[in-house]
Amino acid sequence: MHQLNADLHCHSTVSDGTLTPEQLAQRARDNGVALWALTDHDETGGQHRAAAAARDAGVDYLSGVEISVSFAGQTIHIVGLGIDPDDAALQTGLADTRDGRARRARAMADSLAAVGITGALEGAQALAGNPGMVTRTHFARWMVSTGVCRDTHEVFRRYLVRGKPGYVPQQWATLHSAVGWIHGAGGIAVIAHPGRYKYNATEERALFEEFKHHGGRGVEVLTASHDAGDVARYSAIAKQHGLLASRGSDFHSPGESRVELGALPTLPAGLMPVWVELQSRIVRA
Ligand code: AMP
Ligand code: MN
Ligand code: MN
Ligand code: MN
């Protein structure tokens, strides 16, 4: 159970991935994933497709979502696992969270136009599989396609982040709301890729304490953006706070993502895997 090849974080064309839920299910099977969750940003529109495709592919499935949250002046992500994707309050909350994206995309394009990069809105929209979900990733891919940058990582170093052209601040959901929606939909809330946030020690402690106070129960220990130091650090924090440990590649696209679907190492010993607590929510293949 502890050694299970679980991949509980990835993205499809429903958000900013380039593979469909069906293609991801096939890839999960081909890569030996035993338990899979699709966690599109702020959107559960791919969940029934993913569950059906996982069953056809012989892979156990957990429903999922990755919610954008504003906390202490930064954007963070909270993953919900084992949710009922059709829960009404979750749907309303996610629709509200997606609501500002079109306006923000226009402002991002205006900001890029001011440094001579024109046509970004149309470019990003054309790459988005879901018109309601134009993300920075779609802008980044368009900027690679036009030759502005060599790869999406370079785009995020030079553009689209705070202090750089194309960055537009956005008010996402509150931590309290996001954890509440996940809980209300029968799921477990997990702090996604904590090693990516630029918090000082006090802010990071506040994040974990408030998250737990609102009913959050898990943390991603293994994710593509964690190096060995991050894995050790968040393993220790998981134990200290009594949090369940999760494992997810955050796979978005072949050739773009650093870690392939299902290709992370196994969880360090001594951690309680989040899937142990989600047994009743698993859709068995
Ligand atoms: P958005 O929700 O529109 O702000 O877009 C966030 C998405 O941009 C994330 O989910 C990642 O897929 C992508 N992203 C953010 N930072 C980076 C980065 N440094 N390198 C590559 N992709 C990134
Ligand atoms: Mn993404
Ligand atoms: Mn994320
Ligand atoms: Mn993600």
Side-chain angles (χ1 to χ4, degrees), residues 93-168:
L94 294 179
D96 289 346
T97 307
R98 291 192 300 270
D99 205 32
R101 278 197 180 266
R103 196 173 348 103
R104 171 188 185 236
R106 272 192 298 280
M108 286 171 64
D110 291 345
S111 170
L112 289 170
V115 296
I117 300 167
T118 56
L121 182 59
E122 297 71 21
Q125 281 171 337
L127 295 178
N130 173 354
M133 274 298 298
V134 178
T135 72
R136 285 186 292 163
T137 312
H138 299 108
F139 279 86
R141 289 192 188 123
W142 176 77
M143 288 165 74
V144 172
S145 76
T146 59
V148 176
C149 291
R150 275 188 316 276
D151 58 42
T152 55
H153 301 293
E154 184 189 345
V155 178
F156 279 98
R157 272 198 309 279
R158 293 175 52 197
Y159 302 94
L160 313 185
V161 290
R162 202 189 322 214
K164 301 288 167 68
Y167 177 73
V168 174

Side-chain angles (χ1 to χ4, degrees), residues 176-188:
H176 188 176
S177 300
V179 173
W181 300 333
I182 292 165
H183 230 175
I188 287 183

Side-chain angles (χ1 to χ4, degrees), residues 129-255:
N130 173 354
M133 274 298 298
V134 178
T135 72
R136 285 186 292 163
T137 312
H138 299 108
F139 279 86
R141 289 192 188 123
W142 176 77
M143 288 165 74
V144 172
S145 76
T146 59
V148 176
C149 291
R150 275 188 316 276
D151 58 42
T152 55
H153 301 293
E154 184 189 345
V155 178
F156 279 98
R157 272 198 309 279
R158 293 175 52 197
Y159 302 94
L160 313 185
V161 290
R162 202 189 322 214
K164 301 288 167 68
Y167 177 73
V168 174
Q170 178 77 0
Q171 194 60 47
W172 301 113
T174 64
L175 183 61
H176 188 176
S177 300
V179 173
W181 300 333
I182 292 165
H183 230 175
I188 287 183
V190 174
I191 298 178
H193 43 63
R196 273 172 58 168
Y197 310 138
K198 311 253 182 298
Y199 290 130
N200 62 34
T202 310
E203 291 165 335
E204 187 179 71
R205 198 171 323 114
L207 168 61
F208 278 85
E209 307 234 307
E210 285 193 36
F211 174 72
K212 280 203 316 182
H213 174 75
H214 296 313
R217 298 198 48 208
V219 58
E220 282 183 353
V221 171
L222 292 174
T223 157
S225 42
H226 282 181
D227 62 19
D230 293 323
V231 173
R233 176 175 168 72
Y234 293 104
S235 293
I237 287 181
K239 287 180 198 162
Q240 178 197 332
H241 286 277
L243 290 171
L244 301 162
S246 193
R247 176 181 191 266
S249 59
D250 207 359
F251 181 79
H252 282 70
S253 180

